[in-house]
Amino acid sequence: MQEKRILISGGTSGIGLAAAKLFLSAGAKVALLGRSAQRGEAAMQELSAAEQAIFVQGDVSLRADCQRAVKQMETFWGGLDVLVNSAGIYVEGAIEDMTEKQIAAVMDINVKGTYYLSQAAVPLLKKTRGNIVNVASDAGVHGNYYCSLYCASKGAVVLFTKALALELAGFGVRVNAIAPGDILTPLTETQLAEAPDREEALREMASVYPLGRIGTPEEAAAAISFLASKEASFITGTILSVDGGLTA
């Protein structure tokens, strides 16, 4: 990944930030795209190779922001080699309880955000024969209780990945996705914080996984790094499960 130019949405925390650290350690140049300037600043302070990293403030649910982020990559580093679509939000609940605002937020970020940023990045990726790695979910490949909205959004990401892989194969651009199970990210911590007993909630969450635990951001990031690398040069249209055997 030496000198590869990588744009990561949702790069200021969780899986996206872990991927940024891994790419930087391999000598890549990384741009973190996120909505919050405060979180962006905090993320930049965490990165040990800050001279190889930049923060771009933007909202992936806005097409203009996605276009601007890609343009900044071109202006700052002259192009783009890898796009990682990691931005996402999670909402659960019974279908009759989902509000219009919740539905719009999940679809805008998880689906439109992935689409808009990929759409903006494709012209540059065609020039470099680069690749895209999307962050889907186990919820995109099987149903989860009280999770119809999130499942719908991540199911869309899964089939978008496969369809775009076919569309871009002739240009030498690969498109893949990871489908993580529960990963101990700030998003998951928010869920656990709502439980009366965090440790008991974590044990219950881990109990459904054959490996007996949930994953780490670093484990998900390693899968992203592999799919983005030359070692995966004959892999496209793949959804790589990173779920401790949950969907086996």
Side-chain angles (χ1 to χ4, degrees):
M1 303 304 295
Q2 189 74 29
E3 296 300 312
K4 294 293 184 182
R5 298 153 299 185
I6 302 170
L7 174 61
I8 305 175
S9 72
T12 58
S13 66
I15 293 172
L17 182 57
K21 292 176 181 178
L22 195 56
F23 283 129
L24 286 168
S25 71
K29 298 175 179 178
V30 176
L32 308 180
L33 173 60
R35 288 183 294 181
S36 168
Q38 184 177 3
R39 288 172 65 178
E41 184 179 343
M44 290 295 291
Q45 290 177 353
E46 278 193 51
L47 301 178
S48 58
E51 69 279 1
Q52 292 284 95
I54 60 172
F55 169 68
V56 178
Q57 188 172 8
D59 184 343
V60 295
S61 69
L62 301 175
R63 189 180 185 188
D65 280 17
C66 292
Q67 292 170 336
R68 179 172 51 80
V70 171
K71 185 64 178 177
Q72 283 187 246
M73 287 290 296
E74 187 174 27
T75 300
F76 201 80
W77 281 320
L80 177 66
D81 298 291
V82 179
L83 169 64
V84 179
N85 283 304
S86 183
I89 61 171
Y90 177 79
V91 175
E92 65 180 20
I95 187 169
E96 60 264 40
D97 295 333
M98 291 295 100
T99 66
E100 186 175 2
K101 184 177 180 180
Q102 288 173 313
I103 295 167
V106 170
M107 291 300 179
D108 283 352
I109 295 174
N110 295 1
V111 182
K112 288 183 181 179
T114 299
Y115 197 100
Y116 285 154
L117 197 54
S118 299
Q119 184 182 49
V122 160
L124 294 186
L125 294 174
K126 284 181 177 180
K127 292 179 182 178
T128 59
R129 298 176 74 87
N131 69 85
I132 298 171
V133 183
N134 296 320
V135 177
S137 169
D138 70 280
V141 295
H142 70 162
N144 286 345
Y145 286 102
Y146 295 101
C147 200
S148 61
L149 176 57
Y150 185 72
C151 285
S153 71
K154 290 300 185 177
V157 172
V158 165
L159 280 185
F160 170 68
T161 299
K162 290 178 175 289
L164 192 60
L166 295 177
E167 181 177 333
L168 299 181
F171 300 95
V173 176
R174 298 183 299 107
V175 186
N176 293 290
I178 65 166
D182 286 305
I183 304 291
L184 197 58
T185 64
L187 203 65
T188 307
E189 286 289 4
T190 299
Q191 289 177 256
L192 295 172
E194 295 172 355
D197 185 331
R198 179 193 178 279
E199 294 307 312
E200 177 57 32
L202 182 57
R203 282 192 293 271
E204 184 178 343
M205 183 181 288
S207 67
V208 301
Y209 290 89
L211 288 183
R213 64 177 178 85
I214 68 172
T216 67
E218 291 73 23
E219 288 169 324
I224 292 172
S225 177
F226 166 69
L227 289 174
S229 72
K230 64 180 181 180
E231 282 75 16
S233 58
F234 198 55
I235 299 175
T236 195
T238 287
I239 312 301
L240 178 58
S241 293
V242 187
D243 64 5
L246 182 67
T247 55

